[in-house]
Amino acid sequence: ELDYVQAVRRYRDAISAAPDRAEPHLHLAIAFAGLKQFDSAVKELKVGLALDPAWATSGVTLDGLLGSDNLIGKMQLKQRVAEWALADVRDPDRLFLLGALLYLDADSHRGRTILETAARLGGLHDYLAVFLRAGSPAANIGIPPVVSEPGLAEAEVDANPALPELPPLPALPPSPA
C-alpha cells in the first residue's frame, strides 16, 4: 500500500525475530528507498544479499513487493532512485541500487548495464556479481557462473583470480562544480 513508514517498522520487527533471514532486509531496502533513505536502502540490500545471494535470481519482482496493480508507486520509486543516482553517477552504491531496482522490475537489460558500470567504478563485489552472473547475459562479459560459498568475504571475492577484471569505462565528463 506504499505505506513505507509502516513497512519499515514491520520489516525491522521481522529482522529482530529472524536476523538470519534475507527477505526482511531486502524488503526493508525497498521501503527505505521509498522513504528516500537511499544509503540505508543500499546497506540493507547488501546485508540481504550477503545472507542469501540467490535472492537476486529467486524471481522476486517489484510487482510482487509493491503489487502488480501499483504502476504509479513503482514509477515513483524508480524515479526517486534514478534522481538520486543521477546526482552522482560515479557512485557505485547509487548505481547498485538503481540497477537492482530495474533488475527486480523485469528490466534486466538496463539494470545489468547500470550494475556493470557500478562494478567497473567500484570493483566486482559479491553483491553486484549475484546480479551480473545471473542468466545467460553473464557470458557476454566473461563472468563465470555463481558459485555459492557461505561466509566468503568480499575481500576474498575481490581477490579471486577466477573473477576477471571488467573492461575499462569510457572517459566520463568532469564532475559538476
Side-chain angles (χ1 to χ4, degrees):
E1 295 178 25
L2 301 182
D3 183 353
Y4 294 120
V5 172
Q6 180 68 8
V8 165
R9 284 189 206 116
R10 288 185 178 172
Y11 291 132
R12 282 184 172 161
D13 289 345
I15 289 168
S16 294
D20 60 334
R21 299 285 309 208
E23 294 87 359
H25 290 281
L26 298 161
H27 295 191
L28 181 58
I30 302 301
F32 276 139
L35 291 172
K36 297 184 181 181
Q37 296 178 14
F38 304 116
D39 291 326
S40 295
V42 169
K43 177 186 169 270
E44 292 299 328
L45 192 54
K46 288 178 181 179
V47 169
L49 288 170
L51 290 170
D52 182 8
W55 184 84
T57 58
S58 67
V60 174
T61 64
L62 280 183
D63 281 346
L65 294 171
L66 302 177
S68 59
D69 59 339
N70 203 345
L71 220 45
I72 293 173
K74 277 192 337 180
M75 294 297 289
Q76 286 176 336
L77 178 65
K78 291 189 302 184
Q79 183 66 34
R80 288 174 182 161
V81 174
E83 288 170 359
W84 179 66
L86 284 172
D88 184 358
V89 295
R90 291 175 179 81
D91 183 338
D93 281 344
R94 291 173 187 242
L95 297 176
F96 166 58
L97 183 58
L98 179 58
L101 279 181
L102 291 173
Y103 193 94
L104 295 175
D105 197 31
D107 192 353
S108 60
H109 179 71
R110 287 192 314 160
R112 179 177 187 78
T113 300
I114 292 169
L115 291 166
E116 286 173 352
T117 303
R120 288 183 180 119
L121 288 171
L124 183 61
H125 297 282
D126 55 345
Y127 53 85
L128 291 167
V130 296
F131 287 102
L132 294 176
R133 291 178 177 156
S136 60
N140 295 337
I141 61 170
I143 297 175
V146 172
V147 177
S148 180
E149 296 182 43
L152 187 63
E154 270 185 33
E156 291 171 311
V157 172
D158 292 339
N160 185 342
L163 296 177
E165 288 295 317
L166 293 170
L169 283 174
L172 295 173
S175 296

